[in-house]
């Protein structure tokens, strides 16, 4: 196992005791390689064999936890060409048929069908899993399997046939074709497209669909057809997964996204209201030059973004990194390090917002799907990444240190 990418933060809470507030904690991520073979643009985790331990899934294989050394094939493995792209991009684990076993849902190259691989149980792990095609085409490079309509079960948010929308599952026969529901005019880019997400923008308790150039408001009655689109230029080319989160703590949700999947840019968009009118102001976190980040940080190809509370302070942080070789040699800084970073959200008492960058890994990259989950049972959020560099699990660890050690490890301000 390789140790790499030390992350350092102060873990303190405003509600903590004075003694606890003085503690200084170093956070690091221990990198556990799964394989250096390129099989997929993403990876995920879940309990595949039902033993109560989290396993890893990357492309055609699953790796038994907790050490991930034992490998089993879901379907016949075939290394993918790095000079082109994989036939496998995303995967999620979910018990679709209610038999108590986690199945694997896969989305391939944009515009191709998606499949559920039915978990056969321990007696069938030596053979290819039964495969079910559930949708004929999944477009956009940031689809999400998530509860969109509030039924406590997942839907697939994606684009299909030039329309934004979502696919629902008939839970009485979950391996039959899923039904795609259009929410837009025929104006979605296909088969690719960048920038897609979900979240409640207007605070009505219903989850909306986010896109790089606006958001679709979920209606009270789903059967009414198209959702009202509100135009907002969140990003130009579009980046990755998009999130609605109250960054500044003022009670309404802002939007977090990368700006260009194969170029530069990470930003949060502050929601501003005038009566019933909603507008957004962009705040750049990282741009195309070191001068555009308070800590002098710049890297390209932010093709996946996750938002989660890494340090346990109650605020959600941004996790992203470089999708190494996402356009091969065409992207700027394509040969720079395949880094993974997380940006700690800090709310100042004067209302200012800061995002402090901490590096999690140097040479893993993130692919097009960056999964954050509790993997090894210690209660800390870990990561799994897959892409041109193969696949890696990043296990989160903590260590208490002296104030001097902690201070030396902090990112230094280079611009105000």
């Amino acid at each position: 196992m390789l140790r790499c990418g030390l992350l350092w933060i102060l873990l303190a809470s405003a509600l903590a005791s004075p003694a606890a507030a003085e503690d200084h904690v170093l956070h690091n991520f221990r990198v556990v390689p799964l394989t250096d073979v390129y099989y997929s643009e993403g990876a995920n985790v879940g309990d595949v064999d039902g033993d109560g331990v989290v396993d890893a899934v990357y492309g055609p294989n699953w790796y038994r936890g907790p050490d991930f050394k034992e490998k089993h094939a879901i379907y016949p493995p075939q290394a993918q060409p790095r000079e082109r792209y994989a036939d496998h991009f995303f995967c999620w684990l979910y018990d679709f048929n209610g038999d108590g076993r986690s199945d694997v849902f896969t989305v391939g190259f944009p515009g191709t069908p998606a499949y559920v691989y039915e978990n056969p149980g321990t007696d069938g792990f030596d053979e290819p899993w039964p495969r079910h095609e559930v949708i004929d085409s999944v477009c956009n490079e940031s689809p999400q399997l998530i509860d969109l309509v509030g039924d406590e079960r997942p839907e697939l948010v994606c684009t299909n046939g030039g329309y934004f929308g979502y696919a629902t599952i008939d839970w009485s026969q979950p391996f039959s074709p899923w039904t795609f529901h259009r929410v837009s005019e025929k104006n979605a880019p296909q088969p690719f497209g960048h920038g897609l997400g979900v979240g409640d923008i207007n605070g009505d308790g219903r989850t909306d669909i986010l896109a790089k150039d606006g958001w679709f408001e979920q209606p009270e009655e789903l059967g009414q057809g198209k959702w009202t689109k509100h135009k907002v230029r969140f990003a130009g080319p579009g980046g990755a997964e998009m999130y609605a989160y109250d960054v500044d703590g003022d009670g309404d949700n802002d939007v977090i996204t990368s700006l260009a999947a194969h170029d530069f840019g990470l930003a949060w968009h502050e929601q501003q209201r005038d009566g019933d009118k909603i507008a957004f102001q962009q705040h750049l976190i990282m741009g195309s030059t070191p001068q555009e980040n308070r800590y002098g940080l710049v890297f390209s190809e932010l093709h996946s973004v996750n938002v989660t509370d890494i340090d346990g302070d109650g605020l959600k942080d941004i996790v992203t990194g470089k999708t190494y070789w996402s356009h091969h040699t065409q992207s700027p800084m394509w040969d720079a390090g395949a880094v993974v970073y997380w940006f700690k959200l800090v709310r100042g008492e004067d209302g200012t917002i800061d995002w402090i960058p901490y590096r999690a890994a140097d040479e893993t990259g993130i692919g097009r799907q960056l999964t954050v989950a509790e993997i090894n049972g210690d209660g800390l959020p870990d990561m799994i990444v897959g892409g041109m560099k193969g696949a890696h699990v990043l296990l989160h660890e903590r260590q208490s240190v002296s104030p001097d050690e902690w201070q030396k490890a902090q990112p230094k301000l280079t611009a105000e």
Side-chain angles (χ1 to χ4, degrees), residues 310-325:
I310 290 292
D311 58 357
D313 66 354
L315 301 179
K316 291 189 177 182
D317 312 299
I318 298 173
V319 185
T320 186
K322 184 178 181 65
T323 304
Y324 185 79
W325 249 42

Side-chain angles (χ1 to χ4, degrees), residues 110-144:
T112 62
Y115 304 95
V116 173
Y117 288 86
E118 183 180 358
N119 190 329
T122 54
D123 292 339
F125 285 155
D126 293 331
E127 300 292 334
W129 294 18
R131 186 180 79 166
H132 309 275
E133 180 178 323
V134 292
I135 185 169
D136 62 347
S137 173
V138 178
C139 299
N140 196 288
E141 293 188 50
S142 300
Q144 296 180 45

Side-chain angles (χ1 to χ4, degrees), residues 207-325:
T207 305
D208 309 304
I209 294 177
L210 316 178
K212 68 182 182 66
D213 59 355
W215 59 282
F216 298 91
E217 181 181 348
Q218 183 174 154
E220 287 190 60
E221 299 296 332
L222 289 172
Q224 74 177 42
K226 291 192 298 292
W227 297 11
T228 300
K229 182 178 182 180
H230 304 268
K231 293 184 179 180
V232 181
R233 191 177 188 273
F234 290 118
E241 297 90 343
M242 302 177 67
Y243 297 87
Y245 177 65
D246 185 4
V247 171
D248 51 10
D250 65 354
D252 54 36
N253 278 334
D254 311 297
V255 172
I256 297 170
T257 183
S258 60
L259 302 181
H262 303 287
D263 210 288
F264 295 101
L266 177 66
W268 72 280
H269 298 75
E270 180 184 357
Q271 183 173 157
Q272 299 175 332
R273 292 208 180 195
D274 181 7
D276 293 333
K277 294 182 180 179
I278 296 177
F280 290 88
Q281 178 184 356
Q282 183 185 100
H283 299 275
L284 191 64
I285 299 170
M286 184 176 68
S288 61
T289 66
Q291 293 74 27
E292 292 174 293
N293 176 262
R294 298 187 71 211
Y295 301 88
L297 179 65
V298 60
F299 59 87
S300 63
E301 302 178 272
L302 285 68
H303 209 310
S304 186
V305 172
N306 206 314
V307 173
T308 191
D309 182 3
I310 290 292
D311 58 357
D313 66 354
L315 301 179
K316 291 189 177 182
D317 312 299
I318 298 173
V319 185
T320 186
K322 184 178 181 65
T323 304
Y324 185 79
W325 249 42

Side-chain angles (χ1 to χ4, degrees), residues 11-78:
L11 185 64
S13 168
L15 300 179
S17 67
E22 294 173 0
D23 289 345
H24 293 77
V25 176
L26 304 183
H27 289 235
N28 70 81
F29 284 80
R30 179 163 53 91
V31 179
V32 181
L34 300 183
T35 179
D36 62 358
V37 178
Y38 175 48
Y39 285 121
S40 173
E41 286 290 337
N44 220 316
V45 294
D47 183 4
V48 174
D49 54 2
D51 64 354
V53 177
V54 174
D55 309 301
V57 176
Y58 172 61
N61 298 313
W62 69 274
Y63 302 78
R64 191 188 301 274
D67 60 10
F68 310 107
K69 292 180 179 179
E70 181 182 335
K71 178 177 68 175
H72 297 267
I74 297 171
Y75 59 88
Q78 182 174 353

